[in-house]
Amino acid sequence: MTVEPTNRIVVRGYAPEDEPRVMEIIERVWGTDTRNDHAFLWKWKHELDADRQMENNIAQVIVIDGKIEGYSGAIPVKIKIKDQIVEGVVILDTFTDPDSRGSGVRLMKQQLKNVLIPFGAGNPRAKELWSRLAKKDNVIIRNAHKMVRLLDPTESLINKKIPALFAKPVGYVWRFVDGLRNIKFSKVYKESLRLERVEEFSQAIDELLNEFSRDFKFIVIRNHDYLNWRYVSCPFQYEKWILRNGAKPVGYMVFRAGVLNNRKTMILSEMMAIGQKEQYYNVMLLKLHEVASECGVSDIQTINTGCNVFERVLKKNGYYFKKEPLPMIGQLNHNLISDYDLYSGEDLYLSIGDADYEFIFFKQGVNSIIRSTN
């Protein structure tokens, strides 16, 4: 149990016994619904804490006169920058008790100062605060965009007060035309290719992940343990598929059905391929479209990740860009890599499976869960 000092201000690493007080602060700041969203993912977000020796690389709390008054979330990750692998941190929400003004700035200042590579989602408030504390005019490392394939406009039209009498025929025609597109791309299969649904990732996926990472100068390091934490331990239920050419894994994808803006949608959290990337992406997307249609979702949504081949294949498969930018912010501290400009976006890969982008950009919480895609 953590024994708090009194009559002074201390910033320290989060401990499991801090949870009740932190949840109390969340409810005071945002209310019960937001508290429930945080509680849903809370223990999962802190599973990786024990793997890090440096206390700065986990969530932080600020203690004033023996009482926790604020929290700054963090998930420790490993990042490859050029040829180096370094410790990085996904910065999550920072919040303080309404009666403790100024504590949040102190928390953030210490995290941004002590962590080698902090990064996260950039709402306007976060961008302004990071820019001020980092003394940089720009802290955006990439502006991503949602990419969407519309499968059935019926639900969307009805939500816009279009009578069902008109919306349903439009939806029928759309689904028919969309089915023709799937027939066109069904020719990408070869006899040696096999898609397999898995419950978890084995060590055999590591070679694929290592090869994929070589194409980028900045990427969060993945291995089978990381993928199992992200997509098996996580309370959301994901479908996980591996594409094999013969016995060799050459691609994988992870997705799940959820609710977004009162519509059922399929969220493509991650898709990677090596070798004949364009062909392999087409094969996996064909399966994704099949599952999504069977689930009755309105659309499929993901983001452009920084993989140019993936983006090109998405466009050929009928995905379109949404204009609204999704800012990803971060900084590189202590002159770690002197000849790499983090803000250039050069050869930088980030998917919605990184950080908490899926939950922030797609507004996912406990109320966005729908029936499994099984």
Side-chain angles (χ1 to χ4, degrees):
M1 181 176 179
T2 304
V3 178
E4 306 293 4
T6 58
N7 300 319
R8 63 186 180 120
I9 299 176
V10 175
V11 176
R12 62 163 173 79
Y14 167 85
E17 58 265 29
D18 300 332
E19 181 179 346
R21 170 57 181 159
V22 175
M23 288 295 163
E24 178 187 339
I25 296 174
I26 292 172
E27 187 152 7
R28 289 197 65 191
V29 174
W30 288 303
T32 302
D33 287 346
T34 300
R35 181 195 185 281
N36 291 340
D37 282 340
H38 278 273
F40 177 64
L41 295 170
W42 195 259
K43 287 182 171 54
W44 168 75
K45 285 184 177 181
H46 289 281
E47 278 186 16
L48 299 183
D49 289 358
D51 295 339
R52 297 297 183 266
Q53 300 299 318
M54 297 171 61
E55 189 177 54
N56 291 329
N57 285 355
I58 63 173
Q60 304 288 299
V61 295
I62 187 166
V63 182
I64 302 176
D65 293 332
K67 185 179 181 181
I68 294 173
E69 297 290 358
Y71 168 93
S72 184
I75 296 176
V77 294
K78 292 183 183 296
I79 298 174
K80 189 199 86 166
I81 297 186
K82 298 188 73 174
D83 296 326
Q84 295 190 41
I85 296 178
V86 298
E87 296 281 342
V89 169
V90 176
I91 303 296
L92 309 178
D93 289 323
T94 297
F95 47 84
T96 59
D97 190 284
D99 295 332
S100 180
R101 299 182 62 181
S103 301
V105 173
R106 184 164 186 155
L107 263 174
M108 284 295 298
K109 187 174 183 179
Q110 180 150 326
Q111 270 196 319
L112 297 182
K113 176 183 177 182
N114 293 332
V115 174
L116 291 178
I117 308 175
F119 69 101
N123 60 39
R125 180 176 174 274
K127 284 191 293 182
E128 180 183 352
L129 182 59
W130 276 46
S131 182
R132 179 156 54 93
L133 295 179
K135 298 179 180 179
K136 294 179 180 290
D137 293 333
N138 175 43
V139 291
I140 297 175
I141 57 178
R142 187 161 161 263
N143 270 320
H145 292 267
K146 288 182 181 179
M147 296 192 72
V148 181
R149 172 164 162 162
L150 184 61
L151 298 179
D152 186 347
T154 305
E155 194 173 358
S156 178
L157 292 172
I158 291 174
N159 286 340
K160 293 177 180 178
K161 310 302 182 184
I162 303 297
L165 181 66
F166 298 102
K168 289 183 178 179
V170 171
Y172 175 81
V173 172
W174 189 282
R175 292 194 302 274
F176 176 77
V177 174
D178 195 63
L180 296 178
R181 182 189 287 122
N182 284 342
I183 292 173
K184 172 186 174 182
F185 281 99
S186 64
K187 300 176 182 178
V188 298
Y189 271 105
K190 286 186 176 181
E191 289 184 4
S192 60
L193 296 178
R194 178 169 56 92
L195 263 171
E196 174 190 4
R197 185 174 177 181
V198 298
E199 294 302 316
E200 61 181 23
F201 293 96
S202 71
Q203 195 170 352
I205 201 74
D206 290 353
E207 183 178 346
L208 181 159
L209 297 168
N210 289 335
E211 184 172 338
F212 183 85
S213 71
R214 295 187 193 114
D215 293 337
F216 302 93
K217 293 181 179 178
F218 181 104
I219 187 172
V220 174
I221 292 295
R222 292 156 169 78
N223 58 23
H224 66 287
D225 286 331
Y226 179 86
L227 292 183
N228 287 331
W229 165 77
R230 178 60 185 84
Y231 298 117
V232 180
S233 296
C234 183
F236 285 113
Q237 300 299 305
Y238 296 89
E239 282 203 24
K240 301 165 285 290
W241 292 78
I242 293 178
L243 178 66
R244 301 180 188 276
N245 189 348
K248 180 182 178 180
V250 293
Y252 77 92
M253 63 177 170
V254 183
F255 57 86
R256 68 176 181 84
V259 176
L260 177 63
N261 299 327
N262 298 315
R263 299 194 315 273
K264 289 191 294 184
T265 189
M266 188 70 80
I267 298 175
L268 173 56
S269 187
E270 198 155 281
M271 182 181 285
M272 290 186 181
I274 57 173
Q276 300 177 54
K277 289 185 178 183
E278 185 162 347
Q279 179 189 12
Y280 298 156
Y281 283 139
N282 276 316
V283 170
M284 290 188 284
L285 285 173
L286 189 65
K287 170 56 71 173
L288 173 63
H289 300 159
E290 176 188 313
V291 174
S293 296
E294 291 173 354
C295 291
V297 298
S298 297
D299 55 27
I300 303 171
Q301 299 201 25
T302 188
I303 67 169
N304 57 327
T305 59
C307 176
N308 294 329
V309 179
F310 179 59
E311 182 178 324
R312 184 168 66 246
V313 173
L314 286 176
K315 289 178 180 177
K316 288 182 178 180
N317 276 269
Y319 289 74
Y320 64 90
F321 273 108
K322 298 197 79 171
K323 293 181 180 180
E324 178 188 5
L326 305 173
M328 299 171 168
I329 59 178
Q331 67 184 69
L332 191 59
N333 289 332
H334 309 302
N335 296 318
L336 185 66
I337 308 288
S338 59
D339 60 344
Y340 179 69
D341 181 6
L342 181 63
Y343 305 102
S344 70
E346 180 187 3
D347 296 328
L348 183 148
Y349 181 92
L350 285 170
S351 77
I352 61 171
D354 293 315
D356 55 349
Y357 296 138
E358 177 183 334
F359 317 126
I360 298 297
F361 295 152
F362 293 86
K363 302 175 184 176
Q364 296 297 290
V366 67
N367 291 326
S368 61
I369 299 172
I370 63 174
R371 184 169 56 86
S372 170
T373 58
N374 289 327

